[in-house]
């Protein structure tokens, strides 16, 4: 049976603009936006700060018990809180991007995050983006989009974003990080990144933001016409 609320699942590769589309779509539909990558990044930040040994399951499980993640919306901008602290900026830094794939590959971490994500989408209409939303978190989501783009284009976009924020990185470093995360995300044992059979592919290599939003809005209109207000 279909859930009474509507779930739009947006999965895809690193840095292909999932969150930009998801945010815009949620705004347009008056849905709640959930950035699941930010949740894995927040866990990673906690693990880095507390020097959690990823090979020690007991340490990982104990750390997870001490992690509380919340989203807080303020004037259209969603902030992520790790145990009450706004870590929205910190989790985007390169040192977290370098660790996050290893942390998100851990079964215990995924179980804890998936549980929380399912709770978040159990009653409300949500647009959720990530890697396993249409396959593992909400396999019955009414709309599933799988986003992809040329890795070089993704690296250029991400490089611009990081350097505009003042991070000193090279384009090669960003490209390497994206390639590495693609590899880890698609080959890990626990819920690897893969397109759900019923997901619609959105390759945005040559699309601007407006065109992408139009594309996903069309798909939502077709699948759940009553969601459009
Ligand atoms: O979307 P992002 O780049 O902020 O995600 C950061 C990392 O988190 C990404 O390398 C893989 C992981 N991730 C995941 O394993 N499952 C999700 N649902 C979302 C992100």
């Amino acid at each position: 049976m279909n859930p009474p609320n509507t779930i739009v699942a947006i999965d895809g590769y690193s840095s292909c603009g999932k969150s930009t589309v998801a945010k815009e779509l949620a705004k347009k539909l008056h849905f709640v936006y959930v950035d699941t990558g930010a949740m894995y990044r927040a866990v990673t930040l906690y693990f880095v700060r507390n020097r959690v040994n990823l090979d020690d399951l007991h340490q990982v499980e104990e750390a997870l018990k001490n992690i509380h993640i919340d989203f807080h919306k303020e004037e259209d901008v969603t902030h992520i809180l790790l145990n009450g602290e706004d870590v929205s900026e910190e989790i985007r830094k390169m040192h977290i991007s370098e660790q996050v794939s290893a942390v998100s590959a851990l079964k215990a971490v995924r179980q804890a995050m998936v549980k929380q994500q399912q709770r978040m989408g159990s009653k409300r209409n949500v647009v959720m983006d990530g890697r396993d939303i249409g396959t593992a978190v909400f396999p019955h989501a009414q709309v599933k989009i799988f986003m992809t783009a040329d890795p070089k284009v993704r690296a250029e976009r991400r490089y611009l974003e990081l350097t505009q924020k003042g991070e000193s990185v090279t384009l090669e470093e960003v490209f390497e990080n994206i390639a590495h995360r693609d590899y880890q995300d698609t080959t890990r044992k626990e819920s690897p990144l893969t397109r759900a059979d019923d997901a619609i592919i959105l390759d945005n290599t040559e699309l601007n933001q407006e065109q992408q939003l139009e594309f996903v809005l069309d798909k939502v209109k077709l699948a759940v016409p009553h969601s459009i207000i």
Side-chain angles (χ1 to χ4, degrees), residues 155-207:
E156 279 159 15
R157 289 177 186 158
R158 188 98 186 103
Y159 171 74
L160 266 181
E161 205 182 300
L162 287 168
T163 48
Q164 274 165 5
K165 282 186 193 159
E167 268 218 59
S168 108
V169 282
T170 65
L171 182 57
E172 288 67 34
E173 278 169 345
V174 177
F175 183 83
E176 283 305 313
N177 175 256
I178 287 178
H180 178 67
R181 285 203 285 148
D182 282 357
Y183 178 75
Q184 288 216 1
D185 294 348
T186 50
T187 57
R188 70 176 175 226
K189 219 170 107 220
E190 297 300 326
S191 316
L193 167 65
T194 173
R195 182 177 79 85
D197 291 339
D198 50 350
I200 301 155
I201 295 177
L202 168 56
D203 182 333
N204 69 8
T205 307
E206 292 179 9
L207 298 182

Side-chain angles (χ1 to χ4, degrees), residues 36-37 40-41 100-101 104 110 130-132 181 185 188:
T36 64
Y40 288 98
R41 285 172 180 273
V100 67
S101 282
S104 59
R110 301 208 70 82
R131 304 292 190 288
D132 60 342
R181 285 203 285 148
D185 294 348
R188 70 176 175 226

Side-chain angles (χ1 to χ4, degrees), residues 23 48 61 113 116 122 140 155 168 179 191-192 202 209 226-227:
K23 240 181 260 171
V48 168
E61 284 176 342
M113 292 303 107
Q116 187 168 348
S122 66
H140 301 296
S168 108
S191 316
L202 168 56
Q209 285 178 18
H226 62 273
S227 311

Side-chain angles (χ1 to χ4, degrees), residues 92-180:
R92 302 280 155 211
K93 295 198 171 152
M94 249 334 236
H95 75 111
I96 297 301
S97 298
E98 279 163 7
Q99 305 290 329
V100 67
S101 282
V103 172
S104 59
L106 299 174
K107 190 174 182 173
V109 171
R110 301 208 70 82
Q111 280 174 340
M113 292 303 107
V114 169
K115 209 164 145 194
Q116 187 168 348
Q117 290 152 12
Q118 287 173 334
R119 220 175 20 238
M120 287 170 165
S122 66
K123 291 194 183 76
R124 297 173 296 182
N125 295 331
V126 298
V127 177
M128 197 173 275
D129 76 13
R131 304 292 190 288
D132 60 342
I133 312 305
T135 50
V137 184
F138 289 111
H140 301 296
Q142 291 88 339
V143 185
K144 297 183 189 177
I145 307 283
F146 189 85
M147 283 181 66
T148 179
D150 182 325
K152 275 197 199 129
V153 173
R154 289 193 269 143
E156 279 159 15
R157 289 177 186 158
R158 188 98 186 103
Y159 171 74
L160 266 181
E161 205 182 300
L162 287 168
T163 48
Q164 274 165 5
K165 282 186 193 159
E167 268 218 59
S168 108
V169 282
T170 65
L171 182 57
E172 288 67 34
E173 278 169 345
V174 177
F175 183 83
E176 283 305 313
N177 175 256
I178 287 178
H180 178 67

